[in-house]
Amino acid sequence: MPVKCCFYRSQTTETMAWSENMDTLLTNQAGLDAFRTFLKSEFSEENVEFWLACEDFKKTESAEKIASKAKMIYSEFIEADAPKEINIDFSTRDLISKNIAEPTLRCFDEAQKLIYSLMAKDSFPRFLKSEIYKKLVNSKQVGNHKKWFPFL
């Protein structure tokens, strides 16, 4: 009789772990893809795209790239009538507008926190109740019964 390995994390467990908190979801590529699909269905995918752009921006090392990436994020998500304009308050938008001439790696922090909070309080709970998430959990449970590795 095979023995189940205690170090193996099943796909079902992984998929269900996404419900623990939004960070778990966002750091898992499959979870992020599912969440993105859900946000697209709600016409709010710009939120996760902005959050991801900010995460990438914070890893930028070259001063030239900081300036160009900041301008790209600003034109894509922040300025009035941007193609993927995010919903932030006037004072946050105004502060970013003033600081974009000499951007730092922290220039989008406040806006990123607002968008993260919006997703965590609003979109994430709806995602966990969505058909997209339910189907993923159910499909992993059905196809996952024989995935334990026996010790040799």
Side-chain angles (χ1 to χ4, degrees), residues 1 3 8-9 18 21 24 38 43 47 54 66 69 76 78-79 82 98 105 111 117 120-121 127 135-136 145 147 151:
M1 178 173 160
V3 177
Y8 176 73
R9 185 168 184 174
W18 301 343
N21 62 57
T24 304
F38 171 74
F43 304 100
N47 291 331
C54 289
I66 288 171
K69 280 186 176 184
E76 194 168 345
I78 306 294
E79 72 183 356
K98 288 176 182 171
L105 289 178
S117 179
K121 292 177 182 171
F127 168 70
K135 284 179 182 175
L136 272 170
H145 291 296
K147 296 212 177 191
F151 285 107

Short mmCIF file of all heavy atoms in Angstrom, two decimals, residues 1 3 8-9 18 21 24 38 43 47 54 66 69 76 78-79 82 98 105 111 117 120-121 127 135-136 145 147 151:
data_model
loop_
_atom_site.label_atom_id
_atom_site.label_comp_id
_atom_site.label_asym_id
_atom_site.label_seq_id
_atom_site.Cartn_x
_atom_site.Cartn_y
_atom_site.Cartn_z
N MET A 1 0.84 -1.18 0.00
CA MET A 1 0.00 0.00 0.00
C MET A 1 0.89 1.24 0.00
O MET A 1 1.76 1.40 0.84
CB MET A 1 -0.89 -0.02 1.24
CG MET A 1 -1.78 1.18 1.36
SD MET A 1 -2.90 0.90 2.76
CE MET A 1 -3.36 2.54 3.06
N VAL A 3 2.32 4.95 0.59
CA VAL A 3 2.23 5.90 1.69
C VAL A 3 2.19 7.30 1.10
O VAL A 3 2.93 7.61 0.17
CB VAL A 3 3.47 5.77 2.63
CG1 VAL A 3 3.41 6.80 3.73
CG2 VAL A 3 3.56 4.37 3.17
N TYR A 8 3.93 16.88 -0.20
CA TYR A 8 3.25 17.19 -1.46
C TYR A 8 2.04 18.06 -1.18
O TYR A 8 1.23 17.75 -0.33
CB TYR A 8 2.82 15.89 -2.15
CG TYR A 8 2.03 16.13 -3.41
CD1 TYR A 8 2.67 16.60 -4.56
CD2 TYR A 8 0.67 15.93 -3.45
CE1 TYR A 8 1.96 16.83 -5.71
CE2 TYR A 8 -0.05 16.16 -4.60
CZ TYR A 8 0.61 16.61 -5.73
OH TYR A 8 -0.10 16.85 -6.87
N ARG A 9 1.93 19.17 -1.90
CA ARG A 9 0.77 20.04 -1.77
C ARG A 9 -0.09 19.85 -3.01
O ARG A 9 0.34 20.19 -4.11
CB ARG A 9 1.20 21.49 -1.63
CG ARG A 9 0.02 22.40 -1.36
CD ARG A 9 0.48 23.76 -0.94
NE ARG A 9 -0.68 24.55 -0.61
CZ ARG A 9 -0.64 25.75 -0.09
NH1 ARG A 9 0.50 26.30 0.18
NH2 ARG A 9 -1.73 26.40 0.19
N TRP A 18 -5.82 29.92 -2.05
CA TRP A 18 -6.00 31.27 -2.56
C TRP A 18 -7.03 32.02 -1.75
O TRP A 18 -7.00 33.25 -1.66
CB TRP A 18 -6.44 31.26 -4.02
CG TRP A 18 -5.50 30.59 -4.97
CD1 TRP A 18 -4.18 30.27 -4.77
CD2 TRP A 18 -5.81 30.12 -6.28
NE1 TRP A 18 -3.66 29.66 -5.88
CE2 TRP A 18 -4.64 29.55 -6.82
CE3 TRP A 18 -6.96 30.14 -7.05
CZ2 TRP A 18 -4.59 29.01 -8.10
CZ3 TRP A 18 -6.91 29.60 -8.33
CH2 TRP A 18 -5.74 29.05 -8.84
N ASN A 21 -5.94 34.58 1.69
CA ASN A 21 -5.77 36.02 1.58
C ASN A 21 -5.36 36.36 0.15
O ASN A 21 -4.95 35.50 -0.61
CB ASN A 21 -4.75 36.56 2.61
CG ASN A 21 -3.37 35.98 2.41
OD1 ASN A 21 -2.78 36.08 1.34
ND2 ASN A 21 -2.84 35.35 3.44
N THR A 24 -1.71 35.48 -1.16
CA THR A 24 -1.53 34.09 -1.59
C THR A 24 -1.98 33.95 -3.04
O THR A 24 -1.31 33.32 -3.85
CB THR A 24 -2.30 33.12 -0.68
OG1 THR A 24 -1.89 33.32 0.66
CG2 THR A 24 -2.07 31.67 -1.08
N PHE A 38 -11.51 36.85 -13.80
CA PHE A 38 -12.67 37.33 -13.06
C PHE A 38 -12.80 38.86 -13.19
O PHE A 38 -13.88 39.38 -13.47
CB PHE A 38 -12.58 36.93 -11.59
CG PHE A 38 -13.62 37.58 -10.73
CD1 PHE A 38 -14.94 37.16 -10.78
CD2 PHE A 38 -13.29 38.62 -9.89
CE1 PHE A 38 -15.91 37.78 -10.02
CE2 PHE A 38 -14.25 39.24 -9.11
CZ PHE A 38 -15.57 38.82 -9.17
N PHE A 43 -15.07 44.04 -15.77
CA PHE A 43 -14.54 45.25 -16.39
C PHE A 43 -13.70 46.07 -15.40
O PHE A 43 -13.79 47.30 -15.36
CB PHE A 43 -15.66 46.10 -16.99
CG PHE A 43 -16.50 45.34 -17.98
CD1 PHE A 43 -17.73 44.81 -17.60
CD2 PHE A 43 -16.04 45.10 -19.26
CE1 PHE A 43 -18.49 44.08 -18.51
CE2 PHE A 43 -16.80 44.37 -20.17
CZ PHE A 43 -18.02 43.87 -19.78
N ASN A 47 -7.24 47.33 -12.32
CA ASN A 47 -6.76 47.36 -10.93
C ASN A 47 -5.58 46.41 -10.72
O ASN A 47 -4.54 46.81 -10.20
CB ASN A 47 -7.89 47.03 -9.96
CG ASN A 47 -8.93 48.11 -9.92
OD1 ASN A 47 -8.64 49.28 -10.14
ND2 ASN A 47 -10.17 47.74 -9.65
N CYS A 54 3.07 48.37 -10.68
CA CYS A 54 3.75 48.99 -9.54
C CYS A 54 4.76 48.03 -8.90
O CYS A 54 5.86 48.44 -8.53
CB CYS A 54 2.74 49.44 -8.48
SG CYS A 54 1.76 50.85 -9.00
N ILE A 66 13.58 54.16 -14.29
CA ILE A 66 12.59 54.63 -13.31
C ILE A 66 11.74 55.73 -13.95
O ILE A 66 10.52 55.69 -13.89
CB ILE A 66 13.27 55.14 -12.02
CG1 ILE A 66 13.83 53.96 -11.23
CG2 ILE A 66 12.30 55.96 -11.16
CD1 ILE A 66 14.71 54.34 -10.05
N LYS A 69 9.54 54.20 -16.93
CA LYS A 69 8.47 53.34 -16.42
C LYS A 69 7.42 54.15 -15.68
O LYS A 69 6.22 53.89 -15.81
CB LYS A 69 9.03 52.25 -15.50
CG LYS A 69 9.65 51.08 -16.21
CD LYS A 69 10.04 50.01 -15.20
CE LYS A 69 10.58 48.77 -15.86
NZ LYS A 69 10.85 47.71 -14.87
N GLU A 76 -0.70 55.38 -18.62
CA GLU A 76 -1.60 54.25 -18.82
C GLU A 76 -2.70 54.14 -17.75
O GLU A 76 -3.82 53.72 -18.04
CB GLU A 76 -0.79 52.95 -18.83
CG GLU A 76 -1.57 51.77 -19.36
CD GLU A 76 -0.68 50.57 -19.65
OE1 GLU A 76 0.55 50.72 -19.72
OE2 GLU A 76 -1.24 49.47 -19.81
N ILE A 78 -2.97 56.63 -14.59
CA ILE A 78 -3.22 57.72 -13.66
C ILE A 78 -3.86 58.96 -14.30
O ILE A 78 -4.85 59.48 -13.79
CB ILE A 78 -1.91 58.16 -12.94
CG1 ILE A 78 -1.23 56.97 -12.26
CG2 ILE A 78 -2.20 59.29 -11.95
CD1 ILE A 78 -1.97 56.35 -11.11
N GLU A 79 -3.28 59.43 -15.40
CA GLU A 79 -3.76 60.70 -15.95
C GLU A 79 -5.23 60.61 -16.37
O GLU A 79 -5.75 59.53 -16.64
CB GLU A 79 -2.87 61.19 -17.09
CG GLU A 79 -2.95 60.42 -18.36
CD GLU A 79 -1.97 60.93 -19.42
OE1 GLU A 79 -1.27 61.93 -19.17
OE2 GLU A 79 -1.90 60.31 -20.47
N ALA A 82 -6.90 58.21 -19.09
CA ALA A 82 -5.91 57.18 -19.42
C ALA A 82 -6.63 55.94 -19.94
O ALA A 82 -7.77 55.68 -19.55
CB ALA A 82 -5.08 56.84 -18.17
N LYS A 98 2.13 65.81 -9.58
CA LYS A 98 3.18 66.77 -9.22
C LYS A 98 4.56 66.10 -9.14
O LYS A 98 5.56 66.73 -9.46
CB LYS A 98 2.85 67.42 -7.87
CG LYS A 98 1.70 68.40 -7.97
CD LYS A 98 1.33 68.94 -6.61
CE LYS A 98 0.13 69.88 -6.74
NZ LYS A 98 -0.41 70.28 -5.43
N LEU A 105 10.99 55.51 -6.64
CA LEU A 105 10.39 54.16 -6.62
C LEU A 105 9.15 54.11 -5.73
O LEU A 105 8.39 53.15 -5.78
CB LEU A 105 11.43 53.14 -6.13
CG LEU A 105 12.56 52.84 -7.11
CD1 LEU A 105 13.55 51.85 -6.49
CD2 LEU A 105 12.02 52.30 -8.43
N ALA A 111 -1.24 55.19 -4.23
CA ALA A 111 -2.24 54.71 -5.19
C ALA A 111 -2.29 53.18 -5.19
O ALA A 111 -3.37 52.59 -5.25
CB ALA A 111 -1.93 55.24 -6.58
N SER A 117 -6.33 47.76 -1.53
CA SER A 117 -7.42 47.76 -0.55
C SER A 117 -8.77 47.58 -1.25
O SER A 117 -9.62 46.81 -0.79
CB SER A 117 -7.39 49.06 0.25
OG SER A 117 -8.44 49.10 1.16
N ALA A 120 -8.96 43.96 -2.30
CA ALA A 120 -9.08 43.07 -1.15
C ALA A 120 -10.47 43.13 -0.52
O ALA A 120 -11.01 42.10 -0.09
CB ALA A 120 -8.01 43.41 -0.11
N LYS A 121 -11.04 44.31 -0.44
CA LYS A 121 -12.34 44.47 0.22
C LYS A 121 -13.52 44.23 -0.70
O LYS A 121 -14.60 43.88 -0.24
CB LYS A 121 -12.45 45.88 0.82
CG LYS A 121 -11.51 46.10 1.97
CD LYS A 121 -11.61 47.53 2.47
CE LYS A 121 -10.62 47.78 3.59
NZ LYS A 121 -10.53 49.18 3.96
N PHE A 127 -14.71 37.36 -6.02
CA PHE A 127 -14.00 36.32 -6.77
C PHE A 127 -14.19 34.96 -6.09
O PHE A 127 -14.45 33.96 -6.75
CB PHE A 127 -12.51 36.66 -6.87
CG PHE A 127 -11.65 35.53 -7.36
CD1 PHE A 127 -11.72 35.10 -8.68
CD2 PHE A 127 -10.78 34.89 -6.50
CE1 PHE A 127 -10.92 34.04 -9.14
CE2 PHE A 127 -9.98 33.84 -6.95
CZ PHE A 127 -10.06 33.42 -8.26
N LYS A 135 -15.53 26.66 -10.10
CA LYS A 135 -15.20 25.66 -11.13
C LYS A 135 -13.76 25.19 -11.00
O LYS A 135 -13.47 24.02 -11.18
CB LYS A 135 -15.45 26.22 -12.54
CG LYS A 135 -16.91 26.28 -12.91
CD LYS A 135 -17.10 26.87 -14.30
CE LYS A 135 -18.57 26.97 -14.64
NZ LYS A 135 -18.79 27.63 -15.93
N LEU A 136 -12.86 26.11 -10.70
CA LEU A 136 -11.45 25.73 -10.51
C LEU A 136 -11.28 24.77 -9.35
O LEU A 136 -10.60 23.75 -9.47
CB LEU A 136 -10.60 26.98 -10.25
CG LEU A 136 -10.05 27.68 -11.46
CD1 LEU A 136 -9.44 29.01 -11.08
CD2 LEU A 136 -9.01 26.83 -12.15
N HIS A 145 -7.46 12.94 -7.23
CA HIS A 145 -7.52 11.86 -6.26
C HIS A 145 -6.29 10.96 -6.22
O HIS A 145 -5.99 10.38 -5.20
CB HIS A 145 -8.78 11.01 -6.48
CG HIS A 145 -10.03 11.77 -6.14
ND1 HIS A 145 -10.30 12.20 -4.87
CD2 HIS A 145 -11.04 12.19 -6.91
CE1 HIS A 145 -11.45 12.84 -4.86
NE2 HIS A 145 -11.91 12.86 -6.09
N LYS A 147 -2.91 11.76 -6.94
CA LYS A 147 -1.70 12.54 -7.18
C LYS A 147 -0.71 12.48 -6.02
O LYS A 147 0.22 13.25 -5.99
CB LYS A 147 -2.07 13.98 -7.48
CG LYS A 147 -2.87 14.09 -8.76
CD LYS A 147 -2.61 15.35 -9.45
CE LYS A 147 -3.40 15.32 -10.75
NZ LYS A 147 -3.07 16.33 -11.63
N PHE A 151 6.37 6.77 -1.27
CA PHE A 151 7.80 6.65 -0.97
C PHE A 151 8.31 5.42 -1.69
O PHE A 151 7.64 4.41 -1.78
CB PHE A 151 8.03 6.50 0.54
CG PHE A 151 7.84 7.77 1.29
CD1 PHE A 151 6.74 7.96 2.09
CD2 PHE A 151 8.76 8.79 1.18
CE1 PHE A 151 6.56 9.13 2.79
CE2 PHE A 151 8.60 9.96 1.87
CZ PHE A 151 7.47 10.14 2.68
#
